[in-house]
Amino acid sequence: KQEVTQIPAALSVPEGENLVLNCSFTDSAIYNLQWFRQDPGKGLTSLLLIQSSQREQTSGRLNASLDKSSGRSTLYIAASQPGDSATYLCAVQPTGTASKLTFGTGTRLQVTL
Amino acid sequence: GAVVSQHPSWVICKSGTSVKIECRSLDFQATTMFWYRQFPKQSLMLMATSNEGSKATYEQGVEKDKFLINHASLTLSTLTVTSAHPEDSSFYICSALDRGDSPLHFGNGTRLTVT
C-alpha cells in the first residue's frame, strides 16, 4: 500500500525566505506526482505535476523535483510571500489506476511579515 | 480552464437526516469523478470512484450504503450521506477527470457538520 509522508508538518518563515518542502512515498511505481495548495476550508489548487519520466517542473517561483527511485520529491518556493501561506499537499498517482491519487499528510506553511 | 463546482459549500444538519452534495464539471465532460474526505488537519482520503452510468467503486472501509454516490450524467455526481451522525462531520471534496492524461480538477469542498 502506497504511503506518502510530508516533512515538516508545519513551517513558519519570514517573508522573502526560500524554502523547501519534502514529500516521500514508499512505492516508486508511480505514474506522476502532483503538488497542491489548499487554503483553509477550501478545495485544492494544482500547482505542479511531474510525470514519472521527468525530473522537475517549474512554475514561477515554484520548482518541484522528483527522484522516483528514492521515492522523494521536493517543492522549492523562492522569495516567499505572505500570500504563500497555505497547506501544501503532494499526491502520487500509481501506474495502472486512472487518477487514483494518494495524498500526503501536508505541510502547513505560514509566511510572516 | 476547467472548473468543478461543488454545492453546498457548507451544511449543518441534525443527526439522522440525509444530506446530498453535488459535484458538477462546468466546462468539460467527466466520465470519472472521485470523492474524498478530509478530517481537520489531516490529508485527503479517497472514499470512492464514481463512473458515469455505472456503480461507484468504494475504498475499503467506506460504507456504500451510508455514502450513496450517483453519477447519472457526464457533468454531475452526487454524494448522499444517509442517516448522518456527528462522526460524519467532515470536509468532503470531489474531483473530476477531464481526460486520461490531464490533472484532476477539484471542487472547493463541502463542510458538513452534523449536530
Side-chain angles (χ1 to χ4, degrees):
Chain A
K1 179 186 176 184
Q2 178 74 272
E3 291 184 4
V4 183
T5 305
Q6 291 184 244
I7 294 174
L11 181 63
S12 180
V13 300
E15 181 180 14
E17 273 203 9
N18 303 324
L19 57 101
V20 175
L21 307 181
N22 298 290
C23 172
S24 61
F25 47 95
T26 55
D27 187 348
S28 61
I30 65 169
Y31 183 63
N32 62 44
L33 181 145
Q34 291 186 64
W35 283 93
F36 294 90
R37 169 186 173 137
Q38 184 178 30
D39 293 290
K42 300 293 185 181
L44 275 66
T45 300
S46 179
L47 298 174
L48 290 164
L49 182 150
I50 311 175
Q51 300 290 352
S52 61
S53 58
Q54 298 175 322
R55 297 285 290 183
E56 65 177 343
Q57 283 286 331
T58 299
S59 176
R61 295 182 292 109
L62 305 179
N63 175 275
S65 67
L66 173 64
D67 185 341
K68 196 174 72 166
S69 60
S70 67
R72 295 182 180 183
S73 176
T74 61
L75 178 66
Y76 175 82
I77 302 177
S80 58
Q81 302 171 358
D84 295 331
S85 299
T87 295
Y88 290 81
L89 297 163
C90 70
V92 297
Q93 178 183 340
T95 55
T97 55
S99 298
K100 200 171 180 179
L101 302 180
T102 299
F103 282 84
T105 46
T107 294
R108 294 191 307 280
L109 171 66
Q110 183 173 10
V111 181
T112 58
L113 291 171
Chain B
V3 176
V4 173
S5 174
Q6 192 171 336
H7 178 80
S9 56
W10 60 270
V11 57
I12 301 173
C13 71
K14 291 187 176 181
S15 186
T17 62
S18 295
V19 174
K20 179 184 286 188
I21 302 170
E22 294 186 347
C23 180
R24 293 181 184 272
S25 57
L26 297 185
D27 56 358
F28 65 97
Q29 293 183 330
T31 56
T32 303
M33 291 186 175
F34 301 88
W35 287 95
Y36 291 85
R37 182 174 183 177
Q38 186 179 33
F39 290 105
K41 296 185 179 181
Q42 294 188 25
S43 192
L44 279 73
M45 299 298 294
L46 179 65
M47 298 176 65
T49 302
S50 169
N51 294 296
E52 187 268 337
S54 63
K55 290 184 178 180
T57 302
Y58 291 82
E59 294 300 301
Q60 189 174 10
V62 178
E63 300 176 59
K64 62 180 181 181
D65 294 328
K66 178 148 187 76
F67 299 100
L68 300 179
I69 292 173
N70 183 280
H71 194 158
S73 77
L74 286 172
T75 60
L76 174 64
S77 175
T78 61
L79 167 67
T80 301
V81 183
T82 63
S83 186
H85 289 92
E87 57 265 31
D88 298 325
S89 298
S90 188
F91 193 59
Y92 295 86
I93 304 177
C94 72
S95 65
L97 181 63
D98 185 357
R99 301 184 311 275
D101 60 347
S102 64
L104 283 176
H105 303 287
F106 284 82
N108 275 332
T110 296
R111 170 75 58 195
L112 170 64
T113 302
V114 184
T115 61

